Amino acid sequence: MASKAKTYPEIRIPSPVTQTWLAYKENPVAMAALWGMACLLLVVIFGPSFVSYNPLQQDPNALLLPPSWAAHGTIVHFLGTDDLGRDLLTRLIYGARLTFGSAVVATLIAMLCGCAVGLLAGMSRGLKSSILHHMLDTLLSIPSLLLAIVLVAVMGPGLDNAALAVTLTLTPQFIRATYNAVNDELQKEYIVAVRLDGSPPLRILRLAILPNIVDIIVAQTTRALSTAILDISAVCFLGIGAQSPSPEWGTMLADGMDLIYIGAWTVTLPGLAIMFSVLATNLVGDGLRRALHKGTD
């Protein structure tokens, strides 16, 4: 009987995505942050469907109730209430959609627009590329928060205007990061070899440049997302973004500042929500960068 064993067993090399995921799973801190961000996204999408209260509903019989684990707390209002009797857990869940959701949308739009312009600029040469380079230097010399405040002041208060302003301030950062990454790749020897092979610019961009700048785009996206969360919260905290009684986290912080000595949880909880979302974003980004570098080594 002939043996069924293969003399030359087939060697299966995992795909780059699989290699990146396997490298990412080796980092327990990054995995915990990924689960945290996944929970945050689920809260943004489905959270409002599972709450019992309206975020604007006031209850004069439940003013400044502490969280349920405090001495006078109640499980009915698990995270307590504010000075108008509004349930803080409900407001935080709705606020996740306003703050984190707006930051995600703003970052994705800025990434798509900025990377597209950066790729086109990086592949071009001459006066057009030089003008864009100097314009980006001018815009990037202004802090993103200051630029966002100026834009919101011009467009008028509101969360939509705040998100649009943050998008406009993040776009030049993506353009610059992509532009520099493409320029660096074009100077490498393998690009020269591909050009000598007669490959058109679009093929070089798709097959040679894009796969090698993914880690830079990922790093810039995670930095931009954490910046967007902080900028939207800061603009709303200053009173020129979402207006009270909106449950946006920055607005909740501003509303609770007068109550910090008698109801510290009204300030602490929105602050912890902002800190958690920024920390999870940064840890996921750091884990992805390490996994991408490890996967390409």
Side-chain angles (χ1 to χ4, degrees):
M1 179 181 292
S3 175
K4 295 183 179 180
K6 293 183 179 180
T7 307
Y8 302 102
E10 181 181 356
I11 299 176
R12 294 183 179 180
I13 300 176
S15 66
V17 175
T18 304
Q19 292 180 29
T20 301
W21 172 243
L22 292 175
Y24 187 90
K25 288 200 301 183
E26 295 177 0
N27 188 339
V29 175
M31 282 299 298
L34 182 63
W35 280 109
M37 181 171 282
C39 292
L40 196 53
L41 288 172
L42 289 176
V43 168
V44 169
I45 299 171
F46 303 108
S49 304
F50 294 96
V51 294
S52 305
Y53 298 99
N54 186 301
L56 306 181
Q57 178 183 346
Q58 301 179 14
D59 185 358
N61 298 317
L63 303 180
L64 284 178
L65 287 178
S68 58
W69 56 84
H72 301 288
T74 171
I75 195 67
V76 176
H77 297 286
F78 185 72
L79 294 182
T81 61
D82 60 9
D83 58 328
L84 296 178
R86 297 173 295 194
D87 185 69
L88 283 180
L89 177 59
T90 301
R91 288 176 64 78
L92 286 173
I93 290 175
Y94 274 87
R97 176 174 291 182
L98 298 179
T99 305
F100 187 77
S102 298
V104 170
V105 172
T107 303
L108 288 177
I109 295 174
M111 180 193 68
L112 293 175
C113 297
C115 289
V117 176
L119 289 172
L120 292 175
M123 297 296 291
S124 63
R125 290 290 181 270
L127 183 61
K128 180 171 60 177
S129 179
S130 179
I131 291 175
L132 180 63
H133 183 73
H134 291 300
M135 286 178 61
L136 290 175
D137 283 342
T138 303
L139 288 174
L140 292 173
S141 65
I142 307 173
S144 62
L145 178 57
L146 178 59
L147 189 57
I149 292 173
V150 171
L151 291 174
V152 173
V154 172
M155 294 185 293
L159 181 60
D160 292 340
N161 287 342
L164 177 59
V166 171
T167 302
L168 294 175
T169 60
L170 293 178
T171 302
Q173 300 179 16
F174 279 102
I175 297 175
R176 182 61 179 274
T178 309
Y179 176 83
N180 289 340
V182 171
N183 270 339
D184 290 342
E185 289 297 318
L186 288 174
Q187 306 304 319
K188 295 182 178 178
E189 294 180 356
Y190 77 95
I191 295 292
V192 177
V194 172
R195 278 179 168 173
L196 292 175
D197 245 1
S199 296
L202 187 60
R203 180 180 175 83
I204 295 173
L205 178 63
R206 182 169 59 91
L207 298 179
I209 295 178
L210 278 177
N212 291 289
I213 64 172
V214 170
D215 56 337
I216 295 175
I217 295 176
V218 167
Q220 183 60 42
T221 302
T222 53
R223 283 196 298 266
L225 180 55
S226 59
T227 301
I229 296 169
L230 291 174
D231 285 356
I232 289 176
S233 300
V235 169
C236 294
F237 177 81
L238 295 174
I240 55 177
Q243 303 295 301
S244 184
S246 171
E248 194 280 328
W249 291 343
T251 305
M252 291 176 65
L253 270 175
D255 292 342
M257 289 303 294
D258 295 335
L259 308 171
I260 191 168
Y261 294 111
I262 59 175
W265 59 91
T266 59
V267 178
T268 304
L269 293 174
L272 287 175
I274 295 172
M275 184 189 73
F276 173 79
S277 58
V278 172
L279 182 62
T281 301
N282 288 334
L283 289 176
V284 168
D286 183 67
L288 279 174
R289 286 193 296 273
R290 294 187 180 186
L292 285 168
H293 283 299
K294 188 173 181 179
T296 55
D297 288 344

